[in-house]
Amino acid sequence: MSGTSRAEAAASGALPAFLQSCLACATVVFPPRLACRSCGDDRFEPVPAGPGVVEQVTELPGGLRIASVRARGVLVVCSSTGALAEGDSVTVIGSPGDPAAVPAQVYLPGSAHIHNSAHTENEGTP
Amino acid sequence: MSDSVVIAGAAETPYTRHPEPRVTTAGLLVRAAREAVAAAGLRWSDVDGLGVSSFTLGPDHAVDLAWRAGLGPLRWLMEDTNGGASALNMLQHAELAIRSGQASTIVLVSGDRMDAAAFRMLVEHYNRSTEDHLVPLPATGPNALFALLTQRQMTALGLTRRDYGRIATAQREWAGRNPGAVYRTPLTLEEYLDAPLVAPPLGRYDCVPPVSGADAVVLTAAGPPGAEGGRAVRVLAVETTTGIDDQDGDGLTTGLVQAAPRAWERAGLGASDMHVFSVYDDYPAMALAQLIDLGAIAAPDAARDLAERIGTRRLPVNTAGGQLSAGQAGAAAGMHGVVETYRQLAGIAGERQVPDARFGVVTGYGMVLYRYGSCANVAVLEAVR
Ligand SMILES: [Zn+2]
């Protein structure tokens, strides 16, 4: 996330969004994994999702928009209660966003609490 | 040891949109299995192998089902959890088990009592990534994901909603000739286009109706020539590929792009040799993607072929109506195509029989990890004359 969009997210009370980056080879993925497909390492760190670009968008009955958003090269599935269009620049955040925000905020669930996983989920015996 | 393995019988219970309270998943599975064994001219006591796939059999598993159904002792037992790919996954293992002599008569059965509550439970708890990253959007079920995928395919292949309507309307025509399909009334292209949008560009007729039901096949070693009386179908090849990418592609290429060439090589055949196609049609876009990956349709010709080959039913695809019109009976969705291809090749497909059908191909697809399905498999079958 750029400094500006991070500040915007914070100002709106939104949680920042994170993707998962491999400590060994810096491959970025989402959803978070237990081991890196590129190099096999199992140590990760969170990286801010940063700004994104909408690639496709659909609308569910009731009006919620669901979009494919490319952020840091990764395609993630986000939602927004505001209007979105293909090609829109958006801020990817980790909690439901403000539909009036500019640039539009899109919600990436499960992205606010990605943490350093080197010693958590896949922790072995001492 | 056996050189060749055949499907000796198959059965599908009636599919129903709203199951009666007394209908259970185990009951549906056993009914389909028993009917398949009877159709094969075999006895229940001949069965020495069982493979099961179901989303709703819990808390029971395959061995519980075998016991409650009075089967045993069994020499071969498996349970497959891979949804739309489960039927061919089981077929891949079962064929080898019979070929190697580990079992002689294997029943593979898939099905679910899929009422509204069971469907909701399934889609809300499909896997970890669904629970953590999709349900909270909030989006429940795969419609939104496949709407995004269909948009990508429309852009890539220059297709419109009308083009996808060719698949839905043709399958409805086929369903009209299948007494077991839940939707049999003809569907016009205009009705397809005018239907309410579920998630643009997907409309109502792009989405499968969940139904309750079960499908089963019985596998044995091939008998001496003529022994099966024309009702046996040989398994020529079964191939599976899972995880061809990292869920970071466009989802328009399935694992068939790797599995199909292996299957064609093993069978010594190609897509142009096939007389019937059963492709996993959870959405029209996926049916098209699989036909392309099989080599039955060339991507640049997609719009033309949808109109001139699929829409006209000159290319017999999903001849029982597919999931779109016959219904998606949970885990039976993958077995539905195996049963239908068996029926076509055995010459017992009734009003929808494809004349002189000798070779058929079935695909399985499924298990959305995050953005699209991760599993794909293919079986090539041949009528034993
Ligand atoms: Zn790595």
Side-chain angles (χ1 to χ4, degrees):
Chain A
M1 194 178 290
S2 70
T4 311
S5 56
R6 179 190 289 277
E8 282 163 357
S12 68
L15 296 172
F18 296 99
L19 309 179
Q20 187 196 46
S21 178
C22 175
L23 272 177
C25 77
T27 294
V28 177
V29 295
F30 190 88
R33 313 293 160 83
L34 299 168
C36 176
R37 174 148 166 155
S38 296
C39 76
D41 205 286
D42 62 355
R43 296 165 304 143
F44 299 96
E45 62 179 347
V47 290
V53 175
V54 174
E55 294 211 348
Q56 290 87 29
V57 57
T58 188
E59 184 176 348
L60 296 179
L64 186 74
R65 267 65 164 198
I66 306 291
S68 293
V69 173
R70 195 172 290 280
R72 283 186 176 267
V74 180
L75 274 167
V76 294
V77 184
C78 300
S79 61
S80 169
T81 53
L84 292 177
E86 212 175 300
D88 278 1
S89 291
V90 292
T91 305
V92 181
I93 59 175
S95 54
D98 172 5
V102 180
Q105 295 182 337
V106 297
Y107 172 34
L108 180 58
S111 62
H113 307 292
I114 291 181
H115 40 64
N116 188 316
S117 62
H119 306 291
T120 52
E121 193 169 359
N122 49 353
E123 189 171 26
T125 50
Chain B
M1 298 290 284
S2 168
D3 283 345
S4 121
V5 174
V6 296
I7 301 175
E12 180 174 278
T13 71
Y15 283 0
T16 53
R17 285 286 275 150
H18 305 289
E20 291 178 28
R22 63 184 169 77
V23 171
T24 65
T25 291
L28 289 168
L29 293 169
V30 172
R31 177 176 171 185
R34 289 179 67 86
E35 287 179 6
V37 170
L42 296 166
R43 291 164 305 183
W44 199 231
S45 57
D46 292 329
V47 175
D48 63 357
L50 174 69
V52 180
S53 175
S54 174
F55 292 115
T56 58
L57 183 57
D60 279 6
H61 292 288
V63 71
D64 304 284
L65 187 74
W67 174 57
R68 293 174 63 196
L71 285 175
L74 299 178
R75 301 167 62 198
W76 187 92
L77 183 66
M78 85 175 279
E79 187 165 350
D80 193 285
T81 57
N82 293 298
S86 60
L88 297 188
N89 237 11
M90 294 196 295
L91 184 66
Q92 184 179 21
H93 290 285
E95 192 241 358
L96 207 57
I98 290 177
R99 197 184 281 281
S100 68
Q102 289 184 344
S104 66
T105 305
I106 294 179
V107 179
L108 303 179
V109 60
S110 307
D112 281 289
R113 181 190 200 280
M114 194 55 77
D115 60 13
F119 186 74
R120 189 164 186 87
M121 181 70 80
L122 174 66
V123 296
E124 286 185 352
H125 303 284
Y126 200 65
N127 52 25
R128 178 61 54 84
S129 89
T130 298
E131 287 182 351
D132 289 354
H133 308 297
L134 299 174
V135 171
L137 284 166
T140 302
N143 285 344
L145 299 176
F146 284 90
L148 302 174
L149 183 149
T150 301
Q151 288 182 28
R152 290 191 287 276
Q153 192 182 53
M154 290 169 87
T155 302
L157 302 181
L159 301 179
T160 65
R161 286 196 68 227
R162 178 172 288 269
D163 297 317
Y164 293 100
R166 305 291 186 182
I167 294 176
T169 54
Q171 289 191 195
R172 183 61 67 85
E173 280 294 316
W174 287 114
R177 293 156 175 77
N178 173 17
V182 294
Y183 292 115
R184 306 183 59 212
T185 313
L187 175 72
T188 67
L189 207 45
E190 286 63 39
E191 286 168 330
Y192 167 88
L193 291 168
D194 291 344
L197 291 175
V198 173
L202 299 183
R204 174 184 293 162
Y205 297 114
D206 294 305
C207 304
V208 297
V211 298
S212 296
D215 288 72
V217 295
V218 179
L219 302 178
T220 65
E228 285 93 5
R231 293 290 179 87
V233 167
R234 186 177 288 116
V235 180
L236 298 179
V238 191
E239 291 285 339
T240 292
T241 300
T242 67
I244 53 162
D245 60 24
D246 206 19
Q247 293 279 296
D248 201 25
D250 57 19
L252 304 181
T253 300
T254 71
L256 294 182
V257 80
Q258 293 180 13
R262 296 196 300 265
W264 294 137
E265 185 179 356
R266 191 176 143 201
L269 297 164
S272 61
D273 298 312
M274 297 296 111
H275 301 110
V276 287
F277 293 79
S278 292
V279 292
Y280 194 87
D281 58 328
D282 50 349
Y283 295 91
M286 292 321 304
L288 175 60
Q290 290 163 71
L291 288 167
I292 291 171
D293 288 346
L294 286 174
I297 285 182
D301 302 332
R304 189 196 69 197
D305 281 0
L306 287 171
E308 295 179 9
R309 296 173 71 205
I310 307 275
T312 57
R313 295 183 292 119
R314 262 178 32 218
L315 191 71
V317 177
N318 296 343
T319 52
Q323 298 176 59
L324 289 167
S325 283
Q328 182 186 64
M335 195 67 84
H336 173 78
V338 182
V339 170
E340 175 61 10
T341 307
Y342 168 82
R343 286 175 170 169
Q344 288 285 354
L345 300 183
I348 56 169
E351 277 185 70
R352 61 186 187 279
Q353 180 66 49
V354 174
D356 305 319
R358 178 179 174 195
F359 296 115
V361 61
V362 190
T363 67
Y365 170 79
M367 305 315 285
V368 173
L369 299 182
Y370 179 50
R371 294 178 50 243
Y372 45 80
S374 60
C375 298
N377 37 32
V378 53
V380 184
L381 307 177
E382 178 187 15
V384 179
R385 297 278 188 245

